Amino acid sequence: MEAFDEFGSVALKYLQGYPVALQQQVRQLIADDRLGDYLAQRYPGRHEVQSDKALYGYVMALKQEHLKNAPAIDKVLYDNRLDLTHRALGLHTAISRVQGGKLKAKKEIRVASLFRDAAPAFLQMIVVHELAHLKEAEHNKAFYKLCDHMLPGYAQIEFDLRMYLTWREMTGSA
């Protein structure tokens, strides 16, 4: 299942934007067959947010805690059509419709179904990321500052999530 880059090393497509030194550390974990153990030790257990209704409640609680003045969210659900081939782990959309001569925008957050079985921190990271888009459309400094405000240590969790996706792909869980 492993793909290799042009140098014969394990290709780390989810970690391409990170420094080579970090990628080498991940490659070493893979070579030592310790990546799964590292992730299991660091992120034990799975969350209990299994239904769309529970996910909606989870998202709304985080929104209420951190983004009280952000636009309302009309729909939240797990989406089995979001997949890693499109690099979509979560999605926020605003669907505009004309109702009675007025333009109404319905905001939705969709979370890839693979996160039903993920560690609590990974689900929280995806939800925080999508909620941050309610305030900041672009992945800029302000966006990541807001993510870190809502989830301290956001950058490390995002990196570990990318390692988790690599591990899933290597083990055929993807």
Side-chain angles (χ1 to χ4, degrees), residues 22 32 44 46 51 63 65 79 96-97 103 120 125 156 173:
L22 276 178
D32 295 343
R46 301 292 169 248
S51 69
K63 180 185 177 297
E65 182 179 347
D79 191 336
S96 298
R97 293 187 176 96
L103 191 62
M125 189 238 110
Q156 181 65 54
S173 302

Side-chain angles (χ1 to χ4, degrees), residues 85-161:
T85 57
H86 297 100
R87 298 210 189 252
L89 305 176
L91 192 62
H92 65 284
T93 58
I95 300 169
S96 298
R97 293 187 176 96
V98 177
Q99 290 181 336
K102 290 186 178 181
L103 191 62
K104 298 265 184 176
K106 291 204 174 257
K107 301 223 179 264
E108 295 182 2
I109 290 179
R110 295 171 181 263
V111 174
S113 292
L114 73 92
F115 289 106
R116 279 190 185 173
D117 298 320
F122 293 160
L123 177 65
Q124 186 177 11
M125 189 238 110
I126 293 297
V127 169
V128 160
H129 183 101
E130 299 310 327
L131 283 172
H133 279 303
L134 294 174
K135 289 275 191 182
E136 294 289 336
E138 301 298 320
H139 293 125
N140 55 26
K141 196 172 188 175
F143 173 85
Y144 286 107
K145 186 175 180 182
L146 179 57
C147 287
D148 198 61
H149 169 75
M150 290 191 285
L151 178 60
Y154 173 89
Q156 181 65 54
I157 297 168
E158 181 181 10
F159 179 78
D160 290 347
L161 172 65

Side-chain angles (χ1 to χ4, degrees), residues 69-83:
N69 297 326
I73 301 169
D74 299 291
K75 190 179 205 178
V76 177
L77 57 108
Y78 284 111
D79 191 336
N80 59 8
R81 294 172 301 186
L82 292 179
D83 63 22

